[in-house]
Amino acid sequence: MKLQKPKGTQDILPKEAARWHYVEEKARQLFSQYHYGEIRTPMFEHYEVISRSVGDTSDIVTKEMYDFYDKGERHITLRPEGTAPVVRSYVENKLFAPEVQKPVKLFYMGSMFRYERPQAGRLREFHQIGVECFGSSNPATDVETIAMAAHFFKELGIEQVKLHLNTLGTADSRKAYRQALIDYLLPYKEQLSKDSQRRLEENPLRVLDSKEKEDREIVAQAPSILDYLDAESQAYFTSVCDMLTLLGIDYVIDTKMVRGLDYYNHTIFEFITQLDGNDLTICAGGRYDKLVDYFGGPETPGFGFGLGVERLLLVLEKLGINLPVEEPLDLYVAVLGDNPQVNSKALELVQAVRQQGFSAERDYLNRKLKAQFKSADNFKASYLVTLGDNEIDTGQISLKNNQTRAEISLSLADLMTNFAQVMASQATSASK
Ligand code: ATP
Ligand code: MG
């Protein structure tokens, strides 16, 4: 029996969890500025929800699904991404109904699962923050959503991230391009990697995305989708580019970027950063106008992105960006001696302070006072009080401001009933 965590998973301990909270809280705040509401869907779905929508030749579906049969013989998979489940939910809950205000803007955050070879920034359970916007085929929606991601990175202090933009155009454009690509790649078939030979049969656009050296050399000269766009695709892409420029958002057009999922059309994008000299995508998304229809809803345009939280945190760390996550303790209660009455009083005191909405901690281990004061410093306690036989007998305590070291004397009862006022009076007496 293995008593370690499964390969490709992580325990997130409190110090690290504080960084997660910070990032998640920033996302919540920002997304609500853009009028997004949260959606929570199940962590597992029927296999079919993912298989065809994501694309049954995609790496996600062919190699990376965490699927199994449950006790009722249902084919289930842990969700590998957020878009298909959200679209499923959009249709199932009839959010397409006319009485629901359009566009419908939804965000989510949570675990995703992919059976991958674990490495830096690549896990089997990882977390995404994602957004989906339904019901607008206005290119301003594409730009607003991309701008929101850019805004998020800016808020976190990440400047070293580059927006890569491409278009897949309409179905017609893509069909024409696909043929051109096949015509170009076929003569090189034997020189392509095994995976790309397979991709050439199943989904030739994916060859463009290959990371294999032999493929990249061949792909470098491949025709560009931009030369195969019909008028509609061209106009759409131009609008997106123009509005990005208008908002002052830098981008590079990257015609080799095609994305790993099958459902996209028109705009696709990635935010890419460098990690130890390699490209690392932290956020990716695009437009998907056929997906709602695929799930049995009325044809509804969609746009969204998914952002890898582990990769984001990794990048923040590599960039030396320290998130302001320290939460000081309001009161630390040092406990002197092993008198059970003192022990109970200390418990009453921290509870009373907590009930007033402040944070409090105490000693439980009967340690030497010096060690307890050290804990108070470690926890960045604002105030410190020592409880011993003497304090219990007299009902008087000395409250120490742990930063200025100023002390005031007051009754224990006052501290327990009105901690806020005590702190305020201490602040004024210190300034006198
Ligand atoms: P990649 O090309 O790196 O495999 P992808 O195309 O499979 O990425 P998406 O499905 O677009 O990735 O997921 C969106 C984001 O989720 C990625 O940009 C990345 O930040 C994150 N992500 C994807 N797979 C993993 C994983 N296995 N571990 C950690 N983060 C991941
Ligand atoms: Mg992948």
Side-chain angles (χ1 to χ4, degrees):
M1 186 173 41
K2 283 205 176 130
L3 296 178
Q4 277 100 34
K5 59 182 159 44
K7 207 170 155 180
T9 64
Q10 272 184 338
D11 296 317
I12 301 164
L13 303 180
K15 234 181 155 162
E16 184 60 12
R19 299 177 72 230
W20 284 71
H21 282 164
Y22 183 84
V23 163
E24 289 164 357
E25 203 37 50
K26 264 271 173 293
R28 281 178 202 283
Q29 269 170 21
L30 188 77
F31 295 171
S32 93
Q33 284 176 256
Y34 287 77
H35 204 222
Y36 274 78
E38 183 173 0
I39 181 167
R40 301 188 187 203
T41 65
M43 212 105 66
F44 57 89
E45 292 278 353
H46 288 295
Y47 183 83
E48 292 71 22
V49 166
I50 311 295
S51 61
R52 294 250 328 269
S53 59
V54 169
D56 41 23
T57 64
S58 67
D59 283 354
I60 291 183
V61 172
T62 55
K63 300 186 207 153
E64 298 172 0
M65 292 277 262
Y66 254 103
D67 63 319
F68 57 94
Y69 288 86
D70 72 5
K71 289 185 171 58
E73 290 304 309
R74 296 172 201 92
H75 196 181
I76 296 291
T77 185
L78 303 182
R79 62 182 183 196
E81 58 106 50
T83 302
V86 171
V87 177
R88 196 248 333 121
S89 173
Y90 179 86
V91 173
E92 202 165 329
N93 293 287
K94 299 196 174 51
L95 299 183
F96 51 75
E99 59 269 26
V100 183
Q101 182 77 46
K102 303 296 176 311
V104 175
K105 294 171 155 187
L106 305 168
F107 77 86
Y108 58 84
M109 39 186 82
S111 294
M112 306 293 159
F113 304 86
R114 296 186 196 177
Y115 197 82
E116 302 215 60
R117 202 160 56 80
Q119 50 193 286
R122 197 171 289 285
L123 289 136
R124 290 187 174 174
E125 181 186 21
F126 65 103
H127 298 76
Q128 279 187 352
I129 297 176
V131 310
E132 316 293 347
C133 176
F134 296 95
S136 164
S137 52
N138 183 340
T141 288
D142 306 35
V143 174
E144 175 189 271
T145 315
I146 294 172
M148 183 165 80
H151 194 165
F152 183 55
F153 296 134
K154 195 171 150 217
E155 287 271 304
L156 291 172
I158 303 177
E159 280 158 13
Q160 301 80 340
V161 61
K162 196 146 205 134
L163 170 59
H164 287 235
L165 189 70
N166 193 17
T167 179
L168 296 172
T170 58
D172 279 349
S173 296
R174 207 156 53 254
K175 209 167 144 201
Y177 179 58
R178 186 188 145 99
Q179 193 51 53
L181 200 59
I182 294 174
D183 294 346
Y184 168 81
L185 288 172
L186 263 183
Y188 298 106
K189 185 168 178 187
E190 297 307 314
Q191 285 143 263
L192 289 171
S193 71
K194 277 261 144 18
D195 268 346
S196 283
Q197 292 188 16
R198 182 177 50 81
R199 291 186 188 115
L200 181 53
E201 305 282 326
E202 295 171 347
N203 193 340
L205 262 67
R206 283 252 177 67
V207 178
L208 295 177
D209 213 16
S210 168
K211 284 160 185 109
E212 304 298 330
K213 191 166 169 280
E214 62 263 45
D215 297 340
R216 295 190 83 112
E217 282 167 13
I218 296 166
V219 157
Q221 304 302 319
S224 157
I225 180 123
L226 300 184
D227 296 323
Y228 292 84
L229 298 180
D230 56 22
E232 182 193 340
S233 307
Q234 183 62 62
Y236 199 94
F237 192 50
T238 304
S239 298
V240 169
C241 293
D242 287 351
M243 284 190 263
L244 282 170
T245 305
L246 181 74
L247 296 188
I249 297 171
D250 287 338
Y251 61 90
V252 290
I253 294 175
D254 179 354
T255 57
K256 300 289 183 295
M257 179 187 70
V258 293
R259 308 283 312 110
L261 304 92
D262 272 354
Y263 47 60
Y264 290 115
N265 62 300
H266 284 304
T267 317
I268 52 174
F269 70 98
E270 293 191 3
F271 280 92
I272 300 179
T273 174
Q274 293 280 310
L275 190 77
D276 303 330
N278 295 314
D279 281 353
L280 188 76
T281 300
I282 45 179
C283 172
R287 176 162 284 285
Y288 49 84
D289 293 337
K290 295 281 176 281
L291 213 46
V292 173
D293 177 44
Y294 168 80
F295 277 98
E299 199 160 300
T300 306
F303 194 93
F305 66 70
L307 187 156
V309 180
E310 283 83 357
R311 289 192 196 176
L312 180 71
L313 289 165
L314 200 64
V315 167
L316 285 165
E317 191 184 314
K318 289 275 171 178
L319 291 174
I321 297 174
N322 286 318
L323 302 175
V325 293
E326 297 234 306
E327 290 205 3
L329 192 67
D330 295 317
L331 177 70
Y332 187 85
V333 180
V335 185
L336 181 60
D338 52 9
N339 178 352
Q341 252 186 309
V342 177
N343 183 41
S344 315
K345 205 56 170 180
L347 179 62
E348 265 190 274
L349 174 57
V350 285
Q351 279 303 98
V353 169
R354 290 164 184 160
Q355 297 285 356
Q356 294 170 56
F358 296 94
S359 59
E361 182 56 302
R362 54 160 289 186
D363 179 78
Y364 306 91
L365 305 175
N366 208 1
R367 294 177 303 159
K368 293 207 168 67
L369 271 188
K370 204 173 156 195
Q372 298 190 38
F373 294 160
K374 217 169 177 171
S375 296
D377 289 342
N378 264 334
F379 301 155
K380 311 231 163 17
S382 304
Y383 291 91
L384 176 65
V385 67
T386 303
L387 280 192
D389 290 337
N390 197 23
E391 282 75 14
I392 304 296
D393 291 345
T394 62
Q396 286 292 309
I397 52 143
S398 166
L399 182 72
K400 183 163 157 190
N401 181 318
N402 206 34
Q403 319 301 316
T404 64
R405 307 278 161 188
E407 290 190 41
I408 52 164
S409 173
L410 73 155
S411 82
L412 183 55
D414 277 354
L415 186 66
M416 291 180 72
T417 50
N418 208 340
F419 186 61
Q421 204 173 20
V422 168
M423 283 197 304
S425 69
Q426 216 243 14
T428 42
S429 67
S431 66
K432 272 180 199 155

